[in-house]
Amino acid sequence: MARPRMNPHPPHPTPNPPPHAARFLRPARARPGIYRFDAAAILDAAGLALAPGSMLIEIAGPGPGGAPPDDLPGPASFPLAGRFTILAVDTPPRVDAHPASLRAHRIPLPTSILIPPFINTHTHLDLTHIGPRPHDPAAGFIGFVELVRASRACSEEEITASVLRGAELSLRAGVVAVGDIAGAPRGEPQFSPARALASTPLGGVSFIEFFGIGKGEARGFERLDQITSEAGRAGPGGRIRLGLQPHATNTVSPRLYARAGRVASELGLPICTHLAETPEERAFIAEAGGPQRELLERLGIWDDSMLADIGLGRSPIAHLAEILPMAKWLAVHINDCGDADLEILARSRVSVAYCPRASAYFGAERTFGPHRYRDLIRAGVPVALGTDSIINLPAGADAPGGPGLSVLEEMRFLHARDGVDPLILLAMGTINAARALNMDERAFAFGPGASPAGLVAVDIADGPASAAGLVTNKGNPLLLLVRNRSCPTRIRGEVPDRNRLASDPPLNDSEEQPR
């Protein structure tokens, strides 16, 4: 069955963005022609490393349009939208020898590294209007939940405005695809975030959130049917696919999880869930107690029949051990991960979305110890990066000139804290993320004949022209080009696997390759 997609033409018009946002939300069309980018370095996560490097690109189009070539070198001209193909990517002398190089419009970027665009595997764009907020981890997670419930946008107009603001902050950060959670204010599934995203250059998945546990379980099945029906009515084209988002183990029953997994598998729908995120979740699943139970009791949702599934001493991951193999789940956070949990994840087909700064914001390491993303990678579990919502990002992230909803900042955070190989981090922000969202990872790597999802320049000033320069300098990424058609869903290609740690020994021919 063909994978349902969101119709790119929303039934309700989206508002005109303000001038400062229109540059990103409605980028100018690039003038067709041949363009050459000369940079301090060109890198991707599939093994390409050139310093210096040159890239020759052909931009296709029906005719003249967009910014004149003479205006292209100015940062204010970017991003530009178009359909483009890489003709050559190599050292400058070798690109000089390409026949098309003589007629190329040259764009010098002597202090920049060119990389593929980023994918933000987990975010909540409908919360962007709230902005960064301080949080005391010692106060617990429920206070944060109450903040979100009190501050969440509820009308379609307000939700759309928040999502568009989040889309602007994403594109500003060099992100061209997202795994966005379309939240459910008052418990009702929302499709307006998908419609808003479909009006922007972003691709990816709008995961439609739903709840259903205890006295609300029957209503949860109805909501799942509603979402499935909407996905079936969605048009065949467009950048944004609809996905399923059973919220978390403390708000969705195992029966509803199982139904969602079967539906996702049968219809080819993306599916994700928050999993093993907080100590409150662990207390609820293992002990049937704690603040999460108190919240359900206060909301009138708790039912003693739930004790057949929880309070059995299991971890949240073990709670879903029989459900995770049902579909290609994207498991978000995985802060609480023991050895047995890691084995469950490695046996399943899951990918993991890790949001490093969000985990630090909530103090996850104080309870669970260091995140096990490196152990997950070694076990063959694809790990991708997400920002979570703007709420958990540092003050100023959404300010003019700020980093926005930046995957690169997540990479820099991990490199500074853990010293991880920058190429592993780049893979987590590009090709691993493409796999997690079932997109074509070849659109996030460079090579002759490739048609990448976009092109990003990161200014390194006087820093090293290498992957280290990406994570040790503070320059914000500049999205130069964004493809003006949807990124393909996953097609297995010949992309070398960077889902390994630099400290790992080389693989022998007899060893199983990581996923």
Side-chain angles (χ1 to χ4, degrees), residues 381-458:
V381 177
V383 180
L385 291 174
T387 63
D388 214 333
S389 76
I390 194 73
I391 301 173
N392 53 254
L393 298 184
D398 58 346
L405 286 160
S406 175
V407 172
L408 180 57
E409 289 301 306
E410 304 293 334
M411 292 168 51
R412 288 169 171 166
F413 177 88
L414 282 185
H415 182 74
R417 189 188 70 185
D418 300 338
V420 179
D421 179 353
L423 288 177
I424 294 293
L425 298 174
L426 185 58
M428 294 168 70
T430 56
I431 58 177
N432 285 12
R435 294 169 186 168
L437 296 183
N438 203 32
M439 302 176 75
D440 185 358
E441 58 253 43
R442 293 176 299 179
F444 297 88
F446 295 144
S451 181
L455 182 63
V456 167
V458 179

Coordinates of all heavy atoms in Angstrom, one line a residue, residues 381-458:
V381 N 22.0 0.1 17.1 CA 20.8 0.8 17.1 C 21.1 2.2 16.5 O 21.9 2.9 17.0 CB 20.3 1.0 18.5 CG1 19.0 1.8 18.5 CG2 20.0 -0.4 19.1
P382 N 20.4 2.6 15.4 CA 20.6 3.9 14.8 C 20.2 5.0 15.8 O 19.0 5.0 16.4 CB 19.7 3.9 13.6 CG 19.4 2.5 13.3 CD 19.4 1.8 14.6
V383 N 21.0 5.9 16.1 CA 20.7 7.0 17.1 C 20.8 8.3 16.3 O 21.8 8.6 15.6 CB 21.7 7.0 18.3 CG1 21.4 8.2 19.2 CG2 21.7 5.7 19.0
A384 N 19.8 9.1 16.4 CA 19.7 10.4 15.7 C 19.5 11.5 16.7 O 19.2 11.2 17.9 CB 18.6 10.4 14.7
L385 N 19.7 12.7 16.3 CA 19.6 13.9 17.2 C 18.3 14.7 17.1 O 17.8 14.8 16.0 CB 20.8 14.8 17.0 CG 22.2 14.3 17.4 CD1 23.2 15.3 17.0 CD2 22.2 14.0 18.9
G386 N 17.8 15.2 18.2 CA 16.7 16.1 18.2 C 16.9 17.2 19.2 O 17.8 17.1 20.0
T387 N 16.1 18.3 19.1 CA 16.3 19.4 20.0 C 15.2 19.4 21.1 O 15.3 20.1 22.1 CB 16.1 20.7 19.2 OG1 14.8 20.8 18.7 CG2 17.1 20.9 18.1
D388 N 14.2 18.5 20.9 CA 12.9 18.7 21.7 C 12.4 20.1 21.5 O 12.6 20.7 20.5 CB 13.2 18.4 23.2 CG 12.0 17.7 23.9 OD1 10.9 17.9 23.5 OD2 12.3 17.0 24.9
S389 N 11.6 20.6 22.4 CA 11.0 21.9 22.2 C 11.9 23.1 22.5 O 12.9 22.9 23.1 CB 9.7 22.0 23.0 OG 10.0 22.3 24.4
I390 N 11.5 24.3 22.1 CA 12.2 25.5 22.4 C 12.3 25.7 23.9 O 13.2 26.4 24.4 CB 11.6 26.7 21.6 CG1 12.5 27.9 21.6 CG2 10.2 27.1 22.3 CD1 13.7 27.8 20.7
I391 N 11.3 25.2 24.6 CA 11.2 25.5 26.1 C 12.5 25.1 26.8 O 13.0 25.8 27.7 CB 10.0 24.8 26.7 CG1 8.7 25.2 26.0 CG2 9.9 25.0 28.2 CD1 7.5 24.4 26.4
N392 N 13.1 23.9 26.4 CA 14.2 23.4 27.1 C 15.6 23.9 26.5 O 16.6 23.4 27.0 CB 14.2 21.9 27.1 CG 14.1 21.3 25.7 OD1 13.1 20.8 25.4 ND2 15.2 21.3 24.9
L393 N 15.5 24.8 25.6 CA 16.8 25.4 25.0 C 17.2 26.6 25.8 O 16.4 27.3 26.5 CB 16.6 25.7 23.6 CG 16.3 24.5 22.7 CD1 16.2 24.9 21.2 CD2 17.3 23.3 22.9
P394 N 18.5 27.0 25.7 CA 19.0 28.2 26.4 C 18.3 29.4 26.0 O 17.8 29.6 24.9 CB 20.5 28.2 26.1 CG 20.8 26.8 25.7 CD 19.6 26.3 25.0
A395 N 18.2 30.4 27.0 CA 17.7 31.7 26.7 C 18.4 32.3 25.5 O 19.6 32.2 25.4 CB 17.8 32.6 27.9
G396 N 17.6 32.9 24.6 CA 18.2 33.6 23.4 C 18.2 32.7 22.2 O 18.6 33.1 21.1
A397 N 17.8 31.4 22.4 CA 17.8 30.5 21.2 C 16.9 31.0 20.1 O 17.2 30.8 18.9 CB 17.4 29.1 21.6
D398 N 15.8 31.7 20.5 CA 14.8 32.2 19.5 C 15.0 33.7 19.2 O 14.2 34.3 18.6 CB 13.4 31.9 20.0 CG 13.1 32.5 21.4 OD1 14.1 32.9 22.1 OD2 11.9 32.5 21.7
A399 N 16.1 34.3 19.7 CA 16.3 35.7 19.5 C 16.9 36.0 18.2 O 17.4 35.1 17.5 CB 17.2 36.2 20.6
P400 N 16.7 37.2 17.6 CA 17.4 37.5 16.4 C 18.9 37.2 16.5 O 19.5 37.7 17.4 CB 17.1 39.0 16.2 CG 15.8 39.2 17.0 CD 15.9 38.3 18.2
G401 N 19.4 36.5 15.5 CA 20.8 36.2 15.6 C 21.1 35.0 16.4 O 22.3 34.5 16.5
G402 N 20.1 34.4 17.1 CA 20.3 33.2 18.0 C 20.4 32.0 17.1 O 20.1 32.0 15.9
P403 N 20.8 30.9 17.7 CA 21.0 29.6 16.9 C 19.7 29.0 16.5 O 19.8 28.1 15.6 CB 21.7 28.7 17.9 CG 21.4 29.2 19.3 CD 21.2 30.7 19.1
G404 N 18.6 29.3 17.0 CA 17.3 28.7 16.6 C 17.2 27.3 17.1 O 17.8 26.9 18.2
L405 N 16.4 26.5 16.5 CA 16.2 25.1 16.8 C 17.3 24.3 16.1 O 17.1 23.7 15.1 CB 14.8 24.6 16.4 CG 13.7 25.1 17.3 CD1 12.4 25.1 16.6 CD2 13.6 24.4 18.6
S406 N 18.5 24.3 16.8 CA 19.7 23.9 16.1 C 20.2 22.5 16.5 O 20.6 22.2 17.6 CB 20.8 24.9 16.4 OG 22.1 24.5 15.9
V407 N 20.3 21.6 15.5 CA 20.9 20.3 15.6 C 22.4 20.5 15.8 O 23.0 19.7 16.5 CB 20.5 19.4 14.4 CG1 21.3 18.1 14.5 CG2 19.0 19.1 14.4
L408 N 23.0 21.4 15.1 CA 24.4 21.7 15.2 C 24.8 22.0 16.7 O 25.8 21.6 17.2 CB 24.9 22.8 14.3 CG 26.3 23.1 14.3 CD1 27.2 21.9 14.0 CD2 26.6 24.3 13.4
E409 N 23.9 22.7 17.4 CA 24.2 23.0 18.8 C 24.1 21.8 19.7 O 24.9 21.6 20.6 CB 23.2 24.1 19.3 CG 23.5 25.5 18.8 CD 24.9 26.0 19.1 OE1 25.3 26.0 20.3 OE2 25.6 26.4 18.1
E410 N 23.3 20.8 19.3 CA 23.2 19.5 20.0 C 24.6 18.8 19.8 O 25.1 18.2 20.7 CB 22.1 18.7 19.5 CG 20.7 19.3 19.7 CD 20.3 19.5 21.1 OE1 20.7 18.8 22.0 OE2 19.4 20.4 21.3
M411 N 25.1 18.8 18.6 CA 26.4 18.2 18.2 C 27.5 18.9 19.1 O 28.3 18.2 19.6 CB 26.6 18.3 16.7 CG 25.7 17.5 15.8 SD 25.9 18.0 14.1 CE 27.7 17.9 13.8
R412 N 27.5 20.2 19.1 CA 28.5 20.9 19.8 C 28.5 20.6 21.3 O 29.5 20.4 22.0 CB 28.4 22.4 19.6 CG 28.8 22.8 18.2 CD 28.4 24.2 17.8 NE 29.0 24.6 16.6 CZ 28.7 25.7 15.9 NH1 27.7 26.5 16.4 NH2 29.3 26.0 14.8
F413 N 27.2 20.5 21.9 CA 27.1 20.1 23.3 C 27.7 18.8 23.6 O 28.4 18.6 24.6 CB 25.6 20.1 23.6 CG 25.2 19.7 25.0 CD1 25.2 20.7 26.0 CD2 24.9 18.4 25.3 CE1 24.9 20.3 27.3 CE2 24.6 18.1 26.6 CZ 24.6 19.0 27.6
L414 N 27.4 17.8 22.7 CA 27.9 16.4 23.0 C 29.4 16.4 22.8 O 30.1 15.7 23.5 CB 27.2 15.4 22.0 CG 25.8 15.0 22.4 CD1 25.4 13.9 21.4 CD2 25.8 14.4 23.8
H415 N 29.9 17.1 21.8 CA 31.4 17.1 21.6 C 32.1 17.7 22.8 O 33.1 17.2 23.3 CB 31.7 17.8 20.3 CG 33.2 17.8 20.0 ND1 33.9 16.7 19.6 CD2 34.2 18.8 20.1 CE1 35.1 16.9 19.4 NE2 35.3 18.2 19.7
A416 N 31.6 18.8 23.3 CA 32.2 19.5 24.4 C 32.1 18.6 25.7 O 33.1 18.6 26.5 CB 31.5 20.8 24.7
R417 N 31.0 17.9 25.9 CA 30.8 17.1 27.1 C 31.5 15.8 27.0 O 32.1 15.3 28.0 CB 29.4 16.9 27.4 CG 29.1 16.3 28.7 CD 27.6 16.0 28.9 NE 27.2 14.9 28.0 CZ 25.9 14.4 27.8 NH1 25.0 15.0 28.5 NH2 25.7 13.4 27.0
D418 N 31.4 15.1 25.8 CA 31.8 13.7 25.7 C 33.0 13.4 24.8 O 33.5 12.3 24.8 CB 30.6 12.8 25.3 CG 29.4 12.9 26.2 OD1 29.6 13.2 27.4 OD2 28.3 12.6 25.8
G419 N 33.4 14.4 24.0 CA 34.5 14.3 23.1 C 34.2 13.3 22.0 O 35.2 12.6 21.5
V420 N 33.0 13.2 21.5 CA 32.6 12.3 20.5 C 33.2 12.7 19.1 O 33.3 13.9 18.9 CB 31.1 12.1 20.4 CG1 30.7 11.1 19.3 CG2 30.6 11.6 21.7
D421 N 33.6 11.7 18.3 CA 34.1 12.0 17.0 C 33.1 12.9 16.2 O 31.9 12.5 16.1 CB 34.2 10.7 16.2 CG 34.7 10.8 14.8 OD1 34.8 11.9 14.3 OD2 34.9 9.7 14.2
P422 N 33.5 14.0 15.7 CA 32.5 14.9 15.1 C 31.8 14.3 13.9 O 30.7 14.6 13.6 CB 33.4 16.1 14.6 CG 34.6 16.1 15.5 CD 34.8 14.7 15.8
L423 N 32.4 13.3 13.2 CA 31.8 12.7 12.1 C 30.6 11.8 12.6 O 29.6 11.6 11.9 CB 32.8 11.9 11.2 CG 33.7 12.7 10.4 CD1 34.7 11.8 9.7 CD2 32.9 13.6 9.4
I424 N 30.8 11.2 13.7 CA 29.7 10.4 14.3 C 28.5 11.3 14.6 O 27.4 11.0 14.3 CB 30.1 9.7 15.6 CG1 31.2 8.6 15.3 CG2 28.9 9.1 16.3 CD1 30.6 7.4 14.4
L425 N 28.8 12.5 15.1 CA 27.8 13.5 15.4 C 27.1 14.0 14.2 O 25.9 14.2 14.2 CB 28.4 14.7 16.2 CG 29.0 14.3 17.6 CD1 29.7 15.5 18.2 CD2 27.9 13.8 18.5
L426 N 27.9 14.2 13.1 CA 27.3 14.6 11.8 C 26.4 13.5 11.3 O 25.3 13.9 10.8 CB 28.4 14.9 10.8 CG 28.0 15.5 9.5 CD1 27.2 16.8 9.7 CD2 29.2 15.8 8.6
A427 N 26.8 12.3 11.5 CA 25.9 11.2 11.0 C 24.6 11.2 11.8 O 23.5 11.0 11.3 CB 26.6 9.8 11.2
M428 N 24.7 11.5 13.1 CA 23.5 11.5 14.0 C 22.5 12.6 13.6 O 21.3 12.5 13.8 CB 23.9 11.6 15.4 CG 24.6 10.4 16.0 SD 25.4 10.7 17.6 CE 24.0 10.8 18.7
G429 N 23.1 13.7 13.0 CA 22.3 14.8 12.6 C 21.8 14.8 11.1 O 21.1 15.7 10.7
T430 N 22.3 13.8 10.4 CA 21.9 13.7 8.9 C 21.5 12.3 8.5 O 20.3 12.0 8.6 CB 23.1 14.2 8.1 OG1 24.3 13.4 8.4 CG2 23.5 15.7 8.3
I431 N 22.4 11.4 8.2 CA 22.0 10.2 7.6 C 21.3 9.3 8.6 O 20.3 8.5 8.2 CB 23.1 9.4 6.9 CG1 24.3 9.2 7.8 CG2 23.6 10.2 5.7 CD1 25.4 8.4 7.1
N432 N 21.7 9.2 9.9 CA 21.0 8.4 10.9 C 19.6 9.0 11.1 O 18.6 8.2 11.2 CB 21.7 8.4 12.2 CG 23.0 7.6 12.2 OD1 23.4 7.1 11.2 ND2 23.5 7.4 13.4
A433 N 19.5 10.3 11.1 CA 18.2 10.9 11.2 C 17.3 10.6 10.0 O 16.1 10.4 10.2 CB 18.3 12.4 11.4
A434 N 17.9 10.6 8.8 CA 17.1 10.2 7.6 C 16.5 8.8 7.8 O 15.3 8.5 7.5 CB 17.9 10.3 6.4
R435 N 17.3 7.9 8.3 CA 16.9 6.5 8.5 C 15.8 6.5 9.5 O 14.8 5.7 9.4 CB 18.0 5.6 8.9 CG 19.1 5.4 7.9 CD 20.3 4.8 8.4 NE 21.4 4.7 7.4 CZ 22.7 4.4 7.7 NH1 23.0 4.1 8.9 NH2 23.5 4.4 6.7
A436 N 15.9 7.2 10.6 CA 14.9 7.2 11.7 C 13.6 7.7 11.2 O 12.5 7.2 11.7 CB 15.4 8.1 12.8
L437 N 13.5 8.6 10.2 CA 12.3 9.1 9.7 C 11.9 8.5 8.4 O 11.0 8.9 7.7 CB 12.3 10.6 9.5 CG 12.5 11.5 10.8 CD1 12.5 13.0 10.4 CD2 11.4 11.2 11.8
N438 N 12.6 7.4 8.0 CA 12.4 6.6 6.8 C 12.4 7.5 5.5 O 11.7 7.4 4.6 CB 11.0 5.9 6.8 CG 10.9 4.8 5.9 OD1 11.9 4.1 5.7 ND2 9.7 4.5 5.4
M439 N 13.5 8.4 5.5 CA 13.8 9.2 4.4 C 15.0 8.6 3.7 O 15.7 7.8 4.3 CB 14.0 10.7 4.8 CG 12.8 11.3 5.5 SD 13.1 12.9 6.2 CE 13.0 13.9 4.6
D440 N 15.3 9.1 2.5 CA 16.4 8.6 1.7 C 17.7 9.2 2.3 O 17.9 10.4 2.1 CB 16.2 8.9 0.3 CG 17.3 8.3 -0.6 OD1 18.2 7.7 -0.1 OD2 17.2 8.5 -1.9
E441 N 18.5 8.4 2.9 CA 19.8 9.0 3.4 C 20.7 9.5 2.4 O 21.6 10.4 2.6 CB 20.5 8.0 4.3 CG 20.9 6.7 3.7 CD 20.0 5.5 4.1 OE1 18.8 5.7 4.2 OE2 20.6 4.5 4.3
R442 N 20.5 9.1 1.1 CA 21.3 9.6 0.0 C 21.1 11.1 -0.2 O 21.9 11.8 -0.8 CB 21.1 8.8 -1.2 CG 21.6 7.4 -1.1 CD 21.2 6.6 -2.4 NE 19.8 6.6 -2.6 CZ 19.2 6.0 -3.7 NH1 20.0 5.4 -4.6 NH2 17.9 5.9 -3.8
A443 N 19.9 11.6 0.2 CA 19.7 13.0 0.1 C 20.4 13.9 1.1 O 20.3 15.1 1.1 CB 18.1 13.3 0.2
F444 N 21.2 13.2 2.0 CA 21.9 13.9 3.0 C 23.4 13.5 3.0 O 24.1 13.5 4.0 CB 21.3 13.6 4.4 CG 19.9 14.2 4.5 CD1 18.8 13.4 4.1 CD2 19.6 15.4 4.9 CE1 17.5 13.8 4.1 CE2 18.3 15.9 4.9 CZ 17.3 15.2 4.5
A445 N 23.8 13.3 1.7 CA 25.2 13.0 1.5 C 25.6 13.6 0.1 O 24.7 13.9 -0.7 CB 25.5 11.5 1.5
F446 N 26.8 13.8 -0.1 CA 27.3 14.4 -1.4 C 27.9 13.4 -2.3 O 28.6 12.5 -1.9 CB 28.3 15.6 -1.1 CG 27.7 16.7 -0.3 CD1 28.5 17.4 0.6 CD2 26.4 17.2 -0.5 CE1 28.0 18.5 1.3 CE2 25.9 18.2 0.2 CZ 26.7 18.9 1.1
G447 N 27.8 13.7 -3.6 CA 28.5 12.9 -4.6 C 28.1 13.3 -6.0 O 26.9 13.8 -6.1
P448 N 28.9 13.1 -7.0 CA 28.5 13.4 -8.4 C 27.2 12.7 -8.7 O 27.0 11.5 -8.5 CB 29.6 12.9 -9.2 CG 30.8 12.9 -8.3 CD 30.2 12.5 -7.0
G449 N 26.2 13.4 -9.3 CA 24.9 12.9 -9.7 C 23.9 12.9 -8.5 O 22.7 12.7 -8.8
A450 N 24.3 13.3 -7.3 CA 23.4 13.3 -6.2 C 22.5 14.6 -6.3 O 22.9 15.6 -6.9 CB 24.1 13.3 -4.9
S451 N 21.3 14.4 -5.7 CA 20.4 15.6 -5.6 C 20.1 15.8 -4.1 O 19.1 15.3 -3.6 CB 19.1 15.3 -6.4 OG 18.2 16.4 -6.3
P452 N 21.0 16.4 -3.4 CA 20.8 16.5 -2.0 C 19.6 17.4 -1.6 O 19.1 18.2 -2.4 CB 22.1 17.2 -1.5 CG 22.6 17.9 -2.7 CD 22.2 17.1 -3.9
A453 N 19.2 17.2 -0.3 CA 18.0 17.9 0.2 C 18.3 19.4 0.4 O 17.4 20.2 0.6 CB 17.5 17.3 1.5
G454 N 19.6 19.8 0.4 CA 20.0 21.1 0.6 C 21.5 21.3 0.7 O 22.2 20.3 0.6
L455 N 21.9 22.5 1.0 CA 23.3 22.7 1.2 C 23.5 23.8 2.3 O 22.8 24.8 2.3 CB 23.9 23.3 -0.2 CG 25.4 23.6 -0.2 CD1 26.2 22.3 0.0 CD2 25.8 24.2 -1.6
V456 N 24.4 23.5 3.2 CA 24.6 24.3 4.4 C 26.0 24.7 4.5 O 27.0 23.9 4.2 CB 24.2 23.6 5.7 CG1 24.7 24.3 6.9 CG2 22.7 23.4 5.7
A457 N 26.3 26.0 4.8 CA 27.6 26.5 5.1 C 27.8 26.9 6.5 O 26.9 27.5 7.1 CB 27.9 27.7 4.2
V458 N 28.8 26.4 7.2 CA 29.1 26.8 8.6 C 30.4 27.6 8.6 O 31.5 27.0 8.2 CB 29.2 25.5 9.4 CG1 29.6 25.9 10.9 CG2 28.0 24.7 9.4

